[in-house]
Amino acid sequence: MLIAGFPAGAWGTNCYLVAPAAGEECVIIDPGHQAAQGVEETIAKHRLKPVAVVLTHGHIDHVASVVPVCGAHDVPAYIHPADRFMMSDPEKALGRSIGMPLMGELTVGEPDDVHELADGTRLELAGLELTVAHAPGHTKGSVTFRLPEQADVPSVFFSGDLLFAGSIGRTDLPGGDMAEMLESLARVCLPLDDSTVVLSGHGPQTSIGRERATNPYLREVAAGLPGGAPPAAPRRGM
């Protein structure tokens, strides 16, 4: 298994390229702001052939490069229908202008081929099997992707802006909802094995076991305290 990731752009959003091995087909996850060059460099370094772009949600820091990346390789993009509008109208998704200088750098719109994701879908792409889980809270159409455990390789969980090392995604932008975030954490994250590797939309790699033990939000969800609000730990993401 090859997973090559790098933080891109003004928000340091993690973009991942995933393939069975070097020299094979790959899936690109979340090519965000200023990610196109890093994508091309990673493709060249590992001799990869992209077959699809998959998106954890529609915020501009995760989708800003989807049009040039899909266009350069003639591949489709996959996104949940509730977040699809954000590719063409990123400012509406933020509830404010993100600034004319930044907008001037972006190619806003949809790629030519867009597929919509649903909860429980199993995407078979590039010799990989990605299981989709709808996980609203950060946005209405947030999803996660999980690769199954293989031999001695643990399962890998691409959590987007649902779960970070020590924190969770923010819920104060349009479409965000703390109650939905807590439900998604309980339904999507808690059932995963402690050995599951977590690759988030921002920040370093972690594991479900580590987050179960140390993440203040996941600990409170796991405790199942009725009506209890999680502690006010810092939250991340756009």
Side-chain angles (χ1 to χ4, degrees), residues 5-219:
F6 61 92
W11 295 281
T13 303
N14 291 325
C15 176
Y16 300 100
L17 286 80
V18 188
E24 298 193 24
E25 294 181 336
C26 74
V27 173
I28 301 167
I29 301 176
D30 288 354
H33 181 231
Q34 297 179 340
Q37 181 176 343
V39 167
E40 297 307 317
E41 290 173 352
T42 305
I43 288 170
K45 177 179 179 180
H46 298 287
R47 299 172 284 108
L48 300 173
K49 176 178 173 52
V51 298
V53 168
V54 298
L55 304 167
T56 61
H57 63 288
H59 280 161
I60 195 66
D61 60 326
H62 289 252
V63 307
S65 296
V66 67
V67 171
V69 169
C70 286
H73 299 281
D74 192 25
V75 299
Y78 291 74
I79 192 169
H80 191 277
D83 277 14
R84 183 170 177 172
F85 76 95
M86 298 185 192
M87 290 192 287
S88 299
D89 194 357
E91 293 184 1
K92 183 177 180 181
L94 302 178
R96 58 177 173 80
S97 171
I98 62 175
M100 291 305 295
L102 178 59
M103 287 298 293
E105 299 176 8
L106 304 179
T107 305
V108 176
E110 292 191 357
D112 292 337
D113 189 5
V114 178
H115 297 196
E116 295 186 347
L117 297 169
D119 185 51
T121 298
R122 291 188 177 183
L123 297 175
E124 296 186 357
L125 300 166
L128 306 167
E129 181 181 276
L130 291 166
T131 300
V132 179
H134 185 210
H138 182 61
T139 67
K140 294 299 183 186
S142 288
V143 301
T144 65
F145 303 104
R146 183 172 58 84
L147 288 167
E149 181 179 356
Q150 300 179 15
D152 295 329
V153 180
S155 177
V156 179
F157 180 60
F158 298 93
S159 63
D161 285 7
L162 172 65
L163 180 68
F164 302 128
S167 189
I168 61 173
R170 61 190 293 181
T171 59
D172 58 328
L173 294 173
D177 186 294
M178 178 56 83
E180 289 186 334
M181 175 68 80
L182 298 179
E183 191 279 332
S184 292
L185 289 168
R187 175 177 49 83
V188 177
C189 298
L190 287 183
L192 299 177
D193 290 340
D194 283 351
S195 62
T196 302
V197 175
V198 179
L199 298 179
S200 304
H202 301 268
Q205 173 179 317
T206 184
S207 70
I208 288 294
R210 178 177 179 180
E211 296 313 301
R212 200 190 309 275
T214 64
N215 187 305
Y217 293 94
L218 206 58
R219 289 181 66 185

